[in-house]
Amino acid sequence: MSLYAFFGAVEQGLLFSIMALGVFITFRALDFPDLSVDGTFPMGAAISAILIFNGVNPWLTIAIAVAGGAAAGAVTAILNTRLKILNLLAGILTMIALYSVNLRIMGMPNVPLLGFDTVFTSLENTGIPAYVANVIILGSVAVLVGIFLIWFFHTEVGLALRATGDNMKMVKAQGASTSRMILIGVALSNGLVALAGALAAQVQGFADVSMGIGTIVAGLASVILGEALISSLGVFRAVIGVILGSIAYRLAIAVALTVNIGGVSLSPSDLNLITAILVVVALMFPGLRSKIGAVGR
Amino acid sequence: MKKMLVTLLAVICAASAYAAPVKVGISQIVEHPALDATRKGIIDAVTACGYVEGKDIVYDVQIAQGNVATANQIAKKFVGDKDNIVIGIATPNSQSLKQVVEKSGLNIPVIFSAVTDPVGAKLVKSIEKSGGNITGVSDLTPVKAQLEVFKEFGLNVKNVGILYNPGEQNSRALVDLAKAASKELGINIIDATVTNSSGVYMAAKSLVGRADAMYVPTDNTVVSALESAVQVAYEANIPLIMGDTDSVVRGALAAKGFNYYKHGVQTGKIVCRVLKGEKAENIPVQFQNELEFYVNLKAAKEMGVNVPESVIKSADKVIE
């Protein structure tokens, strides 16, 4: 892997860690498998891209994208808590609905931003090469989001949210509203996913209605890889784990891209399979580690 | 030992005295017959102009498996490997390549293929002058000429149902062209949209009774599930005209289009010109100019359509 591709993987890892932190809120803290992210990720991209296309300040477009994502997440939560639709299905319904909504937002399936000013351009204009500028901005946003989440999970609402994920019956018995916690958690999660989507559109130079494909897979892989890298006790370590997990996932793809093709029977179309195998191998490490530890004892 | 090292060094120096092979990165969005044919056409045309694979030229073919984030990482890999030229097959891949190459500051030529609307996708400033180290071939099809095929069959068509995925930029562009041409042709356009290949059958069925003909542009989703549309056309006796000739072999009535292998060859010729030293920005974007007319007689029978002698005479290929 070249240094440039390595930087590229780190950059993508940081970008997608913001999305993965959103997935972490629902999947781990809230115990709510939320598939709407495959729709809210491109939604963030769609909102940001069409607004930039029409001359709105790039930073402002990100704020609007976050609001849009949070609103979509709220829809999923309401489908689940008010209409009693299974959480998995509620997410799927929002996701497929967002496909049409995203096409409406953009007015076309692909909004190009090539040549437009984005949040990355201002730093690049100071003479910093793009790949460094991208890492600086995406890294800063990821760290800020991480700090925010660590703070949030220690607030009263954050604690109640974690309690809801741990033991919903107990929280209900205490007289607290689990529905409210689900609403806050899923909305916050999808707000972050849309934030990542908005940044993705700006860094890659376009928004495409198909860009949500595989978002949830990347999110879950990052969360699980993060847990494999850092045994997660406590919010602080978990958040760091998700960010590192996301970078590790993108590095796995970068490695998969360099696997020598044209050899015996591997073809470029095997990329997904190679990536999955690499992730599985990575997942086997903590098990091996604990086995070795047990022998050592 | 020392002697061995010196010999080894001498061998390495001698080897590097020969020109290193040209590194070409090809990024394709998904595997799919038309795009695969395009890729094959590109490589064949480059071989035909004198670059032997493995000796003068090495290809790094990557397929993003439909994932835009992966397409982006593929672009980064190519730039990191300092490829001498990069080729994007389909729109999002080409956009990724352009963005990554430009941001890297390296002046790697980008050649695109199978992009319907390169100006709208902001790949180039205009067809004549790209305004960057980029050029390529557009696969925009002549929609009006394709819709006129109904008339060539002597069919009095009023309502034409168009099957497409509104999530594909290329299809949107083609449907807009069809709507623009519809007034001149005196027909009504009825949209039948799908979001995935499993919806094609239902969408085609929804046209029965509403449309007296069906038209499918070069839409990836519908073409990948074409058999569903063909089946409806056979059951309900609705003539089905396509935007690509490969689909005629699969059971559609007729098409005036180009084949993607030739599209690839045309792209490969541009790649060759750039490899031989021409600047990509000085080569205008090309369109497919060689159209072929395919007719399927078996399909005509199934759809209850009479094929006039004149059509058979003008066809480049008649499928019995």
Side-chain angles (χ1 to χ4, degrees), chain B residues 113-131:
Chain B
S113 199
V115 170
T116 303
D117 183 9
V119 178
K122 295 249 187 281
L123 287 169
V124 295
K125 289 222 162 64
S126 74
I127 297 300
E128 295 74 28
K129 199 80 191 126
S130 71

Side-chain angles (χ1 to χ4, degrees), chain A residues 2 4 8 11-12 16 99 107 109-110 112 114 116 124 130 203-204 206 209 250 253 257-258 261 268-269 271-272, chain B residues 31 61-62 65 68-70 72-73 76-77 79-80 92 95 99 103-104 120-122 165-169 172:
Chain A
S2 64
Y4 192 84
E11 173 202 306
Q12 294 266 306
F16 282 93
Y99 184 85
N110 181 299
L114 300 165
F116 282 87
E124 281 164 31
V203 80
Q204 77 194 13
F206 63 96
V209 75
R250 289 297 151 186
I253 292 177
L257 287 175
T258 54
I261 50 163
S269 59
L271 176 66
N272 279 1
Chain B
E31 289 223 301
V61 176
Q62 298 287 355
Q65 311 233 277
V68 172
T70 308
N72 215 20
Q73 274 196 274
K76 297 223 155 93
K77 176 184 192 285
V79 169
Q95 286 171 320
Q99 173 85 344
K103 296 267 169 173
S104 73
K122 295 249 187 281
N165 178 356
E168 289 188 29
Q169 183 74 49
R172 284 282 186 99

Side-chain angles (χ1 to χ4, degrees), chain B:
Chain B
M1 187 66 195
K2 216 175 200 174
K3 210 172 169 189
M4 244 173 78
L5 271 177
V6 170
T7 326
L8 196 70
L9 215 68
V11 169
I12 291 168
C13 289
S16 58
Y18 289 102
V22 183
K23 289 198 283 182
V24 178
I26 302 181
S27 171
Q28 185 177 326
I29 189 76
V30 284
E31 289 223 301
H32 139 342
L35 299 184
D36 293 347
T38 305
R39 190 178 77 223
K40 190 168 183 303
I42 294 173
I43 294 176
D44 287 358
V46 173
T47 308
C49 86
Y51 289 86
V52 179
E53 193 174 344
K55 192 166 144 253
D56 319 301
I57 196 162
V58 282
Y59 295 100
D60 184 359
V61 176
Q62 298 287 355
I63 291 156
Q65 311 233 277
N67 192 317
V68 172
T70 308
N72 215 20
Q73 274 196 274
I74 290 170
K76 297 223 155 93
K77 176 184 192 285
F78 290 170
V79 169
D81 291 345
K82 300 216 162 52
D83 283 355
N84 302 87
I85 188 165
V86 292
I87 302 167
I89 302 179
T91 305
N93 285 47
S94 305
Q95 286 171 320
S96 275
L97 287 174
K98 180 183 156 90
Q99 173 85 344
V100 171
V101 166
E102 280 186 359
K103 296 267 169 173
S104 73
L106 294 174
N107 199 25
I108 302 170
V110 180
I111 312 295
F112 57 81
S113 199
V115 170
T116 303
D117 183 9
V119 178
K122 295 249 187 281
L123 287 169
V124 295
K125 289 222 162 64
S126 74
I127 297 300
E128 295 74 28
K129 199 80 191 126
S130 71
N133 198 1
I134 182 166
T135 188
V137 186
S138 162
D139 64 355
L140 185 73
T141 54
V143 178
K144 195 174 163 221
Q146 290 175 345
L147 289 169
E148 279 170 342
V149 169
F150 292 118
K151 208 175 276 172
E152 291 177 34
F153 272 88
L155 295 165
N156 185 22
V157 169
K158 275 272 160 302
N159 299 304
V160 177
I162 301 192
L163 266 173
Y164 68 102
N165 178 356
E168 289 188 29
Q169 183 74 49
N170 50 320
S171 308
R172 284 282 186 99
L174 295 169
V175 171
D176 285 347
L177 284 176
K179 285 182 178 164
S182 66
K183 278 202 186 118
E184 263 178 82
L185 299 169
I187 55 172
N188 292 320
I189 300 288
I190 303 168
D191 293 286
T193 57
V194 299
T195 50
N196 54 39
S197 52
S198 56
V200 174
Y201 186 68
M202 279 301 295
K205 277 222 147 171
S206 80
L207 288 171
V208 178
R210 290 199 297 152
D212 35 31
M214 268 197 275
Y215 168 68
V216 175
T218 46
D219 179 284
N220 293 317
T221 314
V222 179
V223 171
S224 66
L226 183 73
E227 281 70 17
S228 322
V230 168
Q231 193 167 336
V232 173
Y234 287 4
E235 281 170 8
N237 282 347
I238 301 176
L240 168 66
I241 299 279
M242 302 295 300
D244 70 295
T245 50
D246 294 325
S247 294
V248 179
V249 183
R250 288 167 69 190
L253 176 61
K256 219 170 227 178
F258 52 81
N259 88 28
Y260 272 87
Y261 177 77
K262 285 192 179 165
H263 183 72
V265 169
Q266 197 172 339
T267 313
K269 283 180 181 160
I270 294 184
V271 172
C272 194
R273 284 167 67 182
V274 174
L275 286 173
K276 297 230 155 117
E278 259 186 83
K279 288 242 179 305
E281 55 195 293
N282 294 336
I283 304 174
V285 172
Q286 296 181 5
F287 290 89
Q288 199 70 29
N289 29 32
E290 248 182 89
L291 287 182
E292 290 181 352
F293 186 32
Y294 277 38
V295 179
N296 188 330
L297 295 181
K298 190 170 157 278
K301 212 172 178 186
E302 296 273 3
M303 293 172 194
V305 174
N306 287 321
V307 185
E309 265 315 300
S310 58
V311 166
I312 296 176
K313 267 191 193 144
S314 65
D316 294 287
K317 188 168 178 182
V318 178
I319 294 133
E320 305 275 345

Side-chain angles (χ1 to χ4, degrees), chain A residues 34 36 40 68-78 94 183 186-187 190:
Chain A
D34 175 25
S36 41
T40 48
V75 171
T76 303
I78 290 166
T94 307
L183 181 72
V186 180
N190 283 287

